Structures are given as structure tokens and as C-alpha cells.
Amino acid sequence: QTRGFSWYFAATLSTADAAHLTAGGAVEVDFALRDGGPETIKVSVRRIGPEENGRRVVVLESTRDMARFLPYRRQQAEIVWRSYSGVRIPRDGVRMVEGVPGVYCLVAGEAKFKPIAILLERDNYYLIEYAPGPKSSVLPGDEIIVGAKDLFDGKVLT
């Protein structure tokens, strides 16, 4: 981390996109670095220029890894408007038990129902909340049962 020096990144955004930003606020930006990117960093919104032909110039500022970004005078970047973090599970594994969505996982040769909270839905998978702890939640690496019928907690599977 370099201290005392800032670097700036200027970009043109549509007026609609720029409306989501606030001068003095912060935003995450994905930089497509040639030496192993992309890299997402949080930057400050330094200035939002006036609207011209449906676009605005936005100036972003950071002090992070200045030496790493210095060689990239012209750089492609994307603002991260929304991101999700969780466990990806197959859609076919989700079942409703007493009105509660969940999955059956294979635990020590038996089916065990684990309730889920769906964060994001896609064509063939869900992204579910990752909440490790004493609750019986789905964890990365759990073996989700997809094709079996008539499942219940404790059903022995061979």
C-alpha cells in the first residue's frame, strides 16, 4: 500500500449509470489487468461531471497498489453494481419439505435435509446463502442428492 499518493481513473458513463454514484462515495471496480487480472478494488468517487449528450465523466480515486496500476495508462474497467457470495447448487436438487426449500445431502450414507435461502436464480443452478455454524446449512463440498425419490431425513442410501 502506497501512502500519501493517489491515482485517478476517469471514465464516461451513461447518465443513468452515473445516477447510481455519489461524489464522495465508494464503488467497486473490476480492472482487466494484463498481468493476471481481473482485479476488483474499492475506489472513491472523486467527481461526477455534468451531463453531455446523455453521458457523464466520472473520476475515481484510489491509493491502493499504485505501482501495480501505474503501467496501465489506458485501461478497461467495469463498475460492479451488485455482487453475490454463496454456495452454488444444482436446481434439480432443490425440494420443498413442509413449505421450506432445501436440499437433501448425503451424510454418512444417509439423506439429511438442509434448509436453504436462495440468493440468486439462474437457468440450471441457484446461489444460496453460505452460513456456516451450528445450524445444518449447506457447505461447499456437500454431496447434494439430485435424482433420488421418496427421500426423508435418515433414509439410508446405498
Side-chain angles (χ1 to χ4, degrees):
Q1 166 109 4
T2 305
R3 298 195 186 274
F5 294 97
S6 294
W7 57 269
Y8 300 90
F9 184 84
T12 57
L13 300 179
S14 70
T15 299
D17 283 345
H20 296 288
L21 302 176
T22 304
V27 67
E28 288 188 341
V29 178
D30 244 355
F31 287 95
L33 302 179
R34 289 172 285 219
D35 65 346
E39 184 167 333
T40 304
I41 65 169
K42 186 175 253 185
V43 297
S44 299
V45 179
R46 180 71 169 184
R47 183 174 184 279
I48 301 171
E51 190 266 334
E52 286 185 37
N53 299 322
R55 306 209 45 89
R56 291 178 179 251
V57 173
V58 176
V59 178
L60 306 173
E61 175 185 19
S62 179
T63 57
R64 182 169 179 256
D65 297 330
M66 187 172 119
R68 180 159 161 72
F69 290 91
L70 193 59
Y72 303 107
R73 298 288 185 201
R74 289 182 63 91
Q75 178 63 44
Q76 184 174 351
E78 291 184 9
I79 294 177
V80 179
W81 297 112
R82 191 176 312 140
S83 66
Y84 299 92
S85 179
V87 179
R88 184 176 166 164
I89 62 168
R91 283 180 73 106
D92 296 345
V94 176
R95 301 164 191 264
M96 294 294 281
V97 174
E98 297 176 8
V100 177
V103 294
Y104 281 99
C105 295
L106 186 60
V107 178
E110 295 182 357
K112 174 153 181 60
F113 183 76
K114 296 186 176 190
I116 61 171
I118 298 171
L119 301 174
L120 183 67
E121 184 177 337
R122 291 294 182 248
D123 289 339
N124 60 349
Y125 71 90
Y126 290 111
L127 188 67
I128 62 168
E129 185 177 88
Y130 175 58
K135 285 183 172 182
S136 179
S137 67
V138 177
L139 301 174
D142 277 355
E143 191 172 343
I144 296 172
I145 302 167
V146 176
K149 294 182 181 183
D150 303 321
L151 289 175
F152 56 87
D153 251 350
K155 181 174 184 175
V156 177
L157 300 170
T158 53

